Each structure stands twice: as structure tokens, then as C-alpha cells.
Amino acid sequence: MRVCYTNDFHGREPLYERLDELLRLEAPELLILGGDMFPDGQLDDPAGTQGAYVERDFIPRVRRWRAARPALHVACILGNHDWLCTEEVLRAHHEAGDVALLDPRREWSLNGTVFLGYSPTPPTPYWVKDFERLDLRGDVPPEMGGAVWDPHSRSVRAIDPAEHFTATSSIESELSRVIAPQGRWIFVCHSPPYGTHLDRLPRLRSPVGSRAVRRFIEASQPAVTLHGHIHESPLVTGRYFDRLGRTLCINPGQDREMFAVLFDSDDPAGTLRHTVLT
Ligand SMILES: [Zn+2]
């Protein structure tokens, strides 16, 4: 199965236009979008801004792609710039069959390959905290606060970081409850694994990926893992893929040119190519 994967458009229309063109040229059977695909929602009304973008721009675009090529499937996860109210919108479109919203606990299969998805990242300086978690149990909470979507009041609520992060499960705890599928499977996870070619920022010596994600990949050995989040990493390390045991881990990065990868799920390592990098 021909797979196209990209990530972190942050609502930038020129990147979507390049993706329109890539889908026309390459005709993949599956497009996977790895989180942070939408513009940042406004703090006073994320549902009316980011949620509305998904309804008015993103989903109609997905429908145009699929109308032009009925064999195309589209799957996605969210990222740390996305709000919980946006997940609600995508879940409704998952139920309607427009797009597959990948989940860590519910397997999604296509052409003999199983997919799981996981959106959360370790804490960042950005103020939306819906998809941030402490990486490992017992990590020190960040000092910087932020905001979450409260599904009960359907409004944004400011959080105290110490209180919020200790009351929310860590990435380590959440991934410890994930059951690895039988057979060939692909893990789509916004945060790259710690200490690889995929999690480096310019001018920062230490890696910024997730230790818990790395341990999960090492223990469960999916065929392929697809990441994003650290846009600059391939330009810092010169590599957009790495290996953890038998697993091929990929972070295309993102830039003004559209960074995406294409591969065949029957032979990911032998067919992997990047739209910009070599
Ligand atoms: Zn991003």
C-alpha cells in the first residue's frame, strides 16, 4: 500500500496546496496527517476558530481529495497546538467516515496493516495544554501554566501547572496501557522518541523527544513510527529517519517547502523517500 505522511502544517495554505499537488502526482492509497495541521485557535474561542477551520476548510478539502480519488483513505492524529474541542469535531467526522482519527486503544486497519495513533507530547512553552502530559511518572511539572478546553462548561479554563500535570496521567502511564497489535502495525505519534535523529532543536544540545515514547517503541517494535512536532530536527541532524531495533522511525520535519514522506507499507525502508530532503 502506498502511504504518504506529513505533519505540522499549522493551517498554512501554501503547504496544503503543495499537498493537493503531491496527491495528484503520487496517488497514494493512504494519507496520514501527524498533528498540528490546523491554525492555532483563539484563546477566547477555540471552538469558533480552530474547530470552525476544521469544519469549513479541512474536512471539505479531505472530501475533495477523496472525490477525485475514491480509493484514497485519510487518517490523522492531533498535536500540542490542537484543542480538545477540535478532537470532538474530528471524532464526529471519524464516525461519519470522512477521516480516521487514530487512537491508542482502538485499532484501525487498512489493507492488512494496523494503525494506532497518540497525540500527546511532553510539556512545551506553548499555552494549550490539552495534549501535553508529563513524560515519565514522577517528572517535575513545568512552571509555565496555560489553558485547557473544559468539555462540561464548553469553555477555556486556565490551569495551575503543578495541579494539572500531577492530576493527569503521564505519557508513560498512558502508553503502558496500550496493547501492541498482532502482525504488521504502524504507530503515528506526534512526539518523536528521545535521543534520536528526530528530536533535535537548533542551538540546544539536549534532545527534546519523549523518553516514554522511545521505551514504548523499543518494547513493542512497530514496523514504522511516524512523528512530527520538532520541525527543525531533520535540518539539524541531516536525517529524517532513524531506527530503534527493528522499527523504522520517521520525522519528515516541516518548513516553507512541504516536508512529507512516501513509502510502500510492504517495504517501508526500501521505498522511503522525502519530498525535499535526500
Ligand atoms: Zn508543530
Side-chain angles (χ1 to χ4, degrees):
M1 167 171 61
R2 291 188 307 280
V3 180
C4 176
Y5 171 73
T6 189
N7 52 283
D8 291 272
F9 281 13
H10 292 274
R12 288 161 65 195
E13 183 60 21
L15 296 181
Y16 275 103
E17 286 169 9
R18 290 200 174 107
L19 180 57
D20 294 342
E21 183 64 17
L22 187 72
L23 295 177
R24 263 197 299 277
L25 290 172
E26 299 284 348
E29 292 147 286
L30 174 61
L31 169 67
I32 306 174
L33 303 171
D36 284 3
M37 290 301 290
F38 317 125
D40 290 351
Q42 281 171 23
L43 192 52
D44 58 350
D45 185 16
T49 49
Q50 191 178 69
Y53 172 89
V54 172
E55 287 287 9
R56 290 182 206 145
D57 292 77
F58 177 72
I59 291 295
R61 180 166 234 130
V62 169
R63 288 182 177 148
R64 285 199 298 279
W65 290 333
R66 298 189 66 199
R69 200 166 302 99
L72 175 70
H73 291 263
V74 180
C76 68
I77 59 166
L78 292 153
N80 60 301
H81 282 246
D82 297 328
W83 290 87
L84 204 55
C85 52
T86 301
E87 186 185 54
E88 290 173 12
V89 176
L90 285 169
R91 197 166 296 288
H93 285 284
H94 172 97
E95 301 302 332
D98 290 318
V99 62
L101 179 61
L102 300 176
D103 188 278
R105 287 168 306 278
R106 191 185 52 222
E107 295 184 3
W108 183 77
S109 303
L110 188 66
N111 294 336
T113 303
V114 176
F115 295 83
L116 296 182
Y118 186 70
S119 304
T121 69
T124 77
Y126 187 57
W127 33 269
V128 179
K129 300 298 172 194
D130 278 330
F131 292 100
E132 291 190 3
R133 310 275 187 271
L134 292 182
D135 192 11
L136 302 179
R137 295 181 190 102
D139 277 358
V140 178
E143 286 176 11
M144 236 180 91
V148 294
W149 175 257
D150 183 341
H152 303 294
S153 65
R154 304 207 57 75
S155 61
V156 170
R157 178 167 54 79
I159 56 123
D160 170 75
E163 208 175 277
H164 172 77
F165 280 98
T166 44
T168 308
S169 289
S170 63
I171 294 177
E172 181 183 26
S173 302
E174 290 186 338
L175 291 180
S176 73
R177 295 194 286 271
V178 174
I179 299 162
Q182 300 290 318
R184 181 172 60 199
W185 68 289
I186 292 178
F187 183 49
V188 186
C189 174
H190 192 60
S191 175
Y194 178 85
T196 58
H197 292 296
L198 313 179
D199 70 332
R200 305 297 166 123
L201 287 168
R203 299 178 294 280
L204 195 66
R205 285 173 71 89
S206 44
V208 292
S210 162
R211 289 176 165 85
V213 165
R214 179 177 180 134
R215 289 180 192 174
F216 175 73
I217 295 168
E218 286 173 335
S220 60
Q221 295 283 281
V224 178
T225 65
L226 299 170
H227 310 276
H229 189 41
I230 309 301
H231 304 198
E232 305 88 340
S233 192
L235 299 173
V236 174
T237 64
R239 294 268 299 275
Y240 61 91
F241 60 91
D242 207 338
R243 280 200 172 274
L244 289 173
R246 296 187 306 279
T247 301
L248 176 66
C249 308
I250 300 167
N251 173 7
Q254 200 50 265
D255 202 13
R256 278 187 292 276
E257 295 294 309
M258 187 195 57
F259 282 14
V261 292
L262 295 137
F263 62 90
D264 194 305
S265 56
D266 288 333
D267 179 18
T271 56
L272 180 66
R273 63 202 160 92
H274 195 284
T275 51
V276 177
L277 308 173
T278 51

